[in-house]
Amino acid sequence: MMLKLVIIGGGSSYTPEIIEGMIDRHDQFPVTEIALVDIEKGKQKLDVISRLAKRMVKKSGKDITITASLDRRNALKNADFVTSQIRVGGLKAREKDERIPLSYGALGQETNGAGGIFKALRTIPVLLEVSKDMAELCPNAWLINFTNPAGMVTEALLKYGSHKRVIGVCNIPFNMRTGVAEILGCQTEDVEIEFIGLNHFVFGRRVLVKGVDYTSIVIERLKDPSNQYSPANIVSEGWSSTFLSSFMMLPNPYHSYYFKGAEMLEKSLKEYWENGTRAEVVQQVEEELFKKYDDKELTEKPTELEKRGGAFYSDAACNVMTSIYTNKGDIQTVNVQNNGTISDLPNDAVIETNAVMGGEGPRPISIGTLPLSIRGIIQLMKNMEELVIEAAVKGDRERLYQALVINPLVREETLAKDLMEELLDAHKEDLPQFYQQV
Amino acid sequence: MMLKLVIIGGGSSYTPEIIEGMIDRHDQFPVTEIALVDIEKGKQKLDVISRLAKRMVKKSGKDITITASLDRRNALKNADFVTSQIRVGGLKAREKDERIPLSYGALGQETNGAGGIFKALRTIPVLLEVSKDMAELCPNAWLINFTNPAGMVTEALLKYGSHKRVIGVCNIPFNMRTGVAEILGCQTEDVEIEFIGLNHFVFGRRVLVKGVDYTSIVIERLKDPSNQYSPANIVSEGWSSTFLSSFMMLPNPYHSYYFKGAEMLEKSLKEYWENGTRAEVVQQVEEELFKKYDDKELTEKPTELEKRGGAFYSDAACNVMTSIYTNKGDIQTVNVQNNGTISDLPNDAVIETNAVMGGEGPRPISIGTLPLSIRGIIQLMKNMEELVIEAAVKGDRERLYQALVINPLVREETLAKDLMEELLDAHKEDLPQFYQQV
Amino acid sequence: MMLKLVIIGGGSSYTPEIIEGMIDRHDQFPVTEIALVDIEKGKQKLDVISRLAKRMVKKSGKDITITASLDRRNALKNADFVTSQIRVGGLKAREKDERIPLSYGALGQETNGAGGIFKALRTIPVLLEVSKDMAELCPNAWLINFTNPAGMVTEALLKYGSHKRVIGVCNIPFNMRTGVAEILGCQTEDVEIEFIGLNHFVFGRRVLVKGVDYTSIVIERLKDPSNQYSPANIVSEGWSSTFLSSFMMLPNPYHSYYFKGAEMLEKSLKEYWENGTRAEVVQQVEEELFKKYDDKELTEKPTELEKRGGAFYSDAACNVMTSIYTNKGDIQTVNVQNNGTISDLPNDAVIETNAVMGGEGPRPISIGTLPLSIRGIIQLMKNMEELVIEAAVKGDRERLYQALVINPLVREETLAKDLMEELLDAHKEDLPQFYQQV
Amino acid sequence: MMLKLVIIGGGSSYTPEIIEGMIDRHDQFPVTEIALVDIEKGKQKLDVISRLAKRMVKKSGKDITITASLDRRNALKNADFVTSQIRVGGLKAREKDERIPLSYGALGQETNGAGGIFKALRTIPVLLEVSKDMAELCPNAWLINFTNPAGMVTEALLKYGSHKRVIGVCNIPFNMRTGVAEILGCQTEDVEIEFIGLNHFVFGRRVLVKGVDYTSIVIERLKDPSNQYSPANIVSEGWSSTFLSSFMMLPNPYHSYYFKGAEMLEKSLKEYWENGTRAEVVQQVEEELFKKYDDKELTEKPTELEKRGGAFYSDAACNVMTSIYTNKGDIQTVNVQNNGTISDLPNDAVIETNAVMGGEGPRPISIGTLPLSIRGIIQLMKNMEELVIEAAVKGDRERLYQALVINPLVREETLAKDLMEELLDAHKEDLPQFYQQV
């Protein structure tokens, strides 16, 4: 039996993670073909990755065919699963997303800040094309999207795309589970966190270890700064006791940008002056990584990849695919359409939530109303996302401006205007929807 | 380690089912004590059941202590699980619930019809007392209620009771799964039905077999009258092709009372004239059962019990308890507070729904909006239930009258009035809340 | 300044009511042209009405031009207001709507019963055409629809039509106000009833006289059967004290069909056997009316028209138009899109509700949640209406069948099937959407 | 006939406004007694106001008795209307509300910022006592609250108070109408603005002049900075064209604190360094005002009062009272319980909205869903208010901290903590609920 996975953005430095994930899970998820797809501009990287992937497979002894191609439509034919990890405009674009806001003394924040907003504007139209192709060429395949901002991108695909089998994944929830397991000294598999909220704005409402509530114990331990969980790419200073005790919920690392914004801004500015933007740092890391990848002796994922920030990305995606394929019915944290799961958010909003993962895809566990302490801020962030999505799809500057004004990292009406104009201009060639002839 | 189960209404003819269930599951659910509790009036039956239970346990070789008592409060101490299967007023009361409506040419229907309404009025105040005792004496114990009308009773307990760890169970969903498995020729464990709605008014929206959608196949097969699933106590004539194809959902057997009411009424009247009410038939069955139970040679549940109508009751309840105890995380169909699971029903309404069953109890899978074809009728039935619950708790005749007028099996304003008055009068001694001095 | 009113279905026997209304209100609403439009089949009647209208205007001395035409599109040009009072298939069709259900021992009920359902199926596609024409030819004009079932028709126009300035009116609320004023011995203008619900299924929650609450006084007086208000076409027997005291709301006359169905059926059958269907009776009344209308001496609305059943129709419509034209800001009862006015109904549902009527059209007064006693039955009726509307627009038999099964006047799955098939067949030529080639 | 008005906080410098309002409206609202009530600490001011009021009434020739008292309970007896305009802790407290945040480089903002939060904490418990007294002593009287933060205070009274006839008023909407009328060169009475949102966070969605939509014209004119409307106490710099065109709604002057926060902070700091806090400025203005008030020759409201910032306060309150008394049925902008008016906010939230004002109080005009552009920010502000109210009623520090973190003018978790601690300490004696022995 054939089982085909297509990786859109196959030339990404993250791809070896997925290859490894597929090899490790081959007994349960016997993939027969992995098709790497990329665009012309990424051909060179694609070749490096493709060769590394082949070496990795060979070493594993698994029966997996690796193919590489620039012809996306051809690759999508007969796909069973498709993953997406693209970066429209490349790291150069990200650099602008970070540098321009910083030049105004504001955080760019490539998830939900002005940077993330412009990343969404660039990405959504491209993935809507993928969605259209999938509806035509592999209508039963699942698209596992981990292109950021994953929440907004998934919502755009589910609202405006032709293909409805789309699941957004992010490594943050998985990361937090692992972090909590470390703090408690137990196995990650035994930890369940009740996640509520949005991608990069998710809270952990309850921690269960083998069905027993450990929330207050974890909260207590988090007060010790040495117990912070955080991904490699966010230097977190931890949360005050007051914050942790008042909210009695686990913040995610990205919450620092909102509730510790002054600190984070100061830190970002300092780093920027010393090393340039994070994008520039990453660019260098990537160059080194690709040099490693190109080494013919390398037959497995190099440990350096983990420094890149996306640890567990592949786990999140590979677990989703495996559970669908095997009708496993375990609980995973994914980005799916709300459809009433959270009563306080629109039905067609995408939320990051726990779902039973089986043969028919994710079925979210009902949440009901949001806790009073976070209801409004989550509603605000979702509203901001909806405005961005509409702006991205329609090239609508009014919606874009509204999103920026509403965004807590911008908020000032003049700053919003300045950022909008400079960023639109800087990304002009990747934002055709805003520059179309009418 | 102690693991204590208390059975309220332990003298019920159904009790041997639970005893058997506990014996069968003893490896996973190592109950150490089963305390049977009943009221003075039921002492004789309690003794018979208690002796049978002891013989069953002895034969099984399991280490379970059986106790029997009329002192409920004492029995509840240290309970881990409590089940409830009481019948306030006994079968004599049920006889009135059936006979009086029939005398007006109306279906009594002991679940959601006038009969069920009065059963709720009698039962709710008694179980609110149990709830109060549990909050005091065994605050961590789970109450598994299968006293009918299970949906209304559970809602009343969750809205007005002191004890919040309450789960309602009914054998109908389990029955339907079994029936569907038979129709498809597969294992019950492999069948999942997405249930939506209310107790005795639940629909099966989707049938999955190992994660694959078999809904339309099952619907097609149900058009063949020989393929009907139905509990022993409802003689079903099957559904028309038009009905099945239009709704594309699995009706439950009790839907016959609503959508095939004329037929059911005719049948009930005929049966009534021939054999008396169903209550009277059951009374006879029970007498024979208890004769069997009292046979000292009997050391297991007699097969005759299944004719009684409640097959799989014990399975539903025992499965719930086992999954909570073992933090299993499987999907079970239970009656729980809506809390946003179905967007079109109040948050504090109890619904019958699929839930992930683990150490912290049931967590329902989100449903969202109801299908357009059944939204209104489910909203109507829920509204009717809410009116009954308020009437039961407050002894409020206005609410009771409203419930009867709104009920599709009554609807006529004059019939509602006549039924209300005659039934209130007939059940006077079991309905003190309607006859209190103010 | 020009002010043009177009009457779609201008040949209706009701038209003289509107002509009179326009003459009476000419000081506030100085209409300059009334264009009567009808179809070929109704040409003769149109001529009679047109001549009568001209005589009425002449006598009044007002400066109003009356025109008559079969060319709807031409008439609609430059319209400021359009009223609709059509009967697709004529009284012959209504006769079938009544006779066929009665032959099955069921009430046809030309508003929300099976009869009303089929009237909706015939009417909606025709008025969607009018809506399309209006959007093109008179985009700023208001369509005042009083074609029955007015609620469903208005909802269909607002959901599926191109033209959004649509208001549904019905004489029942106005009638009830007048009736209440009589009961209290005060002026109709001083009575405000808080209406909640749906067209032909509306309740009066509160009666205010000059801002003072008289609800319980009115309820008390309604217990005296001589105090019933009811339109000429419904013989009402009044409501029991129990009903009135329990619900503490004013039922509308059509509620008799639901809550006093047995009585109404008996009466309808008796009448049918004696005089034929109501449609046949009306047919005769109409013939006589038209004879009168054709009398050259007649220069005003004959009093016999009031027997016809639609008293106050013109008042409801004329008041709406006048208040819009003069930006009056008074409170009127109309059928408009819910848009959150009643929290328990869909946003796009049409409800019958009190609204502030001004230059921008109706703005409904917020209601919030429905009273518990009627919430479910109103949700059910609305659901039924939604199914009918979808059936009407798409020619969808599944939706039609669902509507019939859900309808409390049908409910039996077999009856639903039989009625559906026989009525579809009987109305075949007026229901092209169900008989299209695919 | 007696018609008694009680003014809680009668010694306020605003009282002459109400007295004038009552005199001006005496034909429609023939008040017979105005009872001024204050606390011991305010006795001196009360005496000054009382004497001035008497002189004003005398000059008017109206038959109104002015009384002054420190015995609130006695004054409330037989009241028909009660207004509240108190300042717990006086201007000294306000000074702290402003100075402490400014010392952290943050805006205090006495409406919805940290300052307003602490004003709410001090005020709510006191007015809950008034509510209790009213329920006992004048259960039919209406409480017209214009004590700030008026929205939060009204919500607290409606959620937790015994007396439910409470309406919150603010002069901002009235102000905006007047401002728009000036901009358009028309009469204020002819302007209607569709207000949506919350007190001090309200937007004008649509401007109607005699029923005709002038929204885009007003928006266009507002782009000219000379056309800004703003109360005397807010120096507004106007809004950018981008902001006005994107949102297409009228911001209220307090929106400057949110969307032009940097500017406003700079300005506030500058003013603070030059003249001290706004509280200190006001203190001086008040002293001068009271000197004027005490002038025996003064027999009318001095024009200087308008500089004080509260112009039109009395108009808003007096109009509400007059419309209730006369069952007028006009549209006024008030703070009332949402109850479904805005679908996106809780039913028990208080909103600032247009309502039909008649004998039974305000009946809000349905709004439905909020415009996408402002939905989230309004939901956030409401959430913040709910947290404050709970904190105020229960003395709950967790809720207070959450409110501060969520508040867009605070947001930083450390700042929230510092502000909370310093402000709680500074207001200790006016916040007994946070310092009770447990």
Side-chain angles (χ1 to χ4, degrees), chain A residues 238-248 257-263 344-346 371-380 382-383 386-387 390 397-399 401-403 405-414 417 420-421, chain D residues 238-248 257-263 344-346 371-380 382-383 386-387 390 397-399 401-403 405-414 417 420-421:
Chain A
W239 298 91
S240 70
S241 291
T242 307
F243 184 91
L244 291 165
S245 300
S246 288
F247 283 89
M248 273 306 281
Y257 291 104
Y258 298 89
F259 302 125
K260 303 165 78 66
E263 255 175 68
D344 312 287
L345 295 178
L372 189 61
S373 57
I374 58 167
R375 193 188 71 211
I377 188 76
I378 286 184
Q379 289 176 317
L380 176 71
K382 174 45 70 190
N383 186 194
E386 290 175 270
L387 292 166
E390 216 177 296
R397 277 166 198 250
E398 314 305 353
R399 289 305 196 202
Y401 178 74
Q402 292 164 6
V405 169
I406 290 302
N407 193 300
L409 296 187
V410 181
R411 220 191 62 198
E412 298 286 325
E413 74 126 324
T414 318
K417 196 177 148 230
M420 176 170 81
E421 282 168 10
Chain D
W239 298 90
S240 71
S241 291
T242 308
F243 184 91
L244 291 165
S245 299
S246 289
F247 283 90
M248 273 306 281
Y257 292 104
Y258 298 90
F259 303 124
K260 303 165 78 67
E263 255 175 69
D344 311 288
L345 295 178
L372 189 61
S373 57
I374 58 166
R375 194 188 70 210
I377 187 76
I378 286 184
Q379 289 176 317
L380 175 71
K382 173 46 69 190
N383 187 196
E386 290 174 88
L387 292 166
E390 217 178 295
R397 278 166 197 250
E398 314 306 354
R399 288 305 195 201
Y401 178 74
Q402 292 164 6
V405 169
I406 289 302
N407 192 300
L409 296 188
V410 180
R411 222 191 59 197
E412 298 286 324
E413 75 125 322
T414 318
K417 195 176 148 230
M420 176 170 80
E421 282 167 10

Side-chain angles (χ1 to χ4, degrees), chain B residues 353-424:
Chain B
T353 198
N354 288 3
V356 178
M357 194 64 69
E360 287 289 310
R363 287 185 297 174
I365 294 175
S366 183
I367 289 171
T369 50
L370 289 166
L372 188 62
S373 56
I374 58 167
R375 193 187 72 211
I377 187 78
I378 286 184
Q379 289 176 317
L380 175 71
M381 293 306 288
K382 174 45 71 189
N383 187 194
M384 192 271 300
E385 292 187 358
E386 291 175 270
L387 293 167
V388 172
I389 291 162
E390 217 178 294
V393 171
K394 304 184 182 165
D396 182 334
R397 279 167 197 250
E398 314 306 352
R399 288 305 196 203
L400 173 55
Y401 178 75
Q402 292 164 7
L404 286 162
V405 169
I406 289 302
N407 192 300
L409 297 189
V410 179
R411 222 190 62 199
E412 299 286 324
E413 75 124 323
T414 318
L415 175 60
K417 197 177 147 229
D418 293 344
L419 283 179
M420 176 169 83
E421 284 168 9
E422 191 162 339
L423 280 160
L424 274 179

Side-chain angles (χ1 to χ4, degrees), chain D residues 6 19 117 224 239 258 317 323 395:
Chain D
V6 177
I19 304 296
I117 290 176
D224 174 351
W239 298 90
Y258 298 90
S323 289

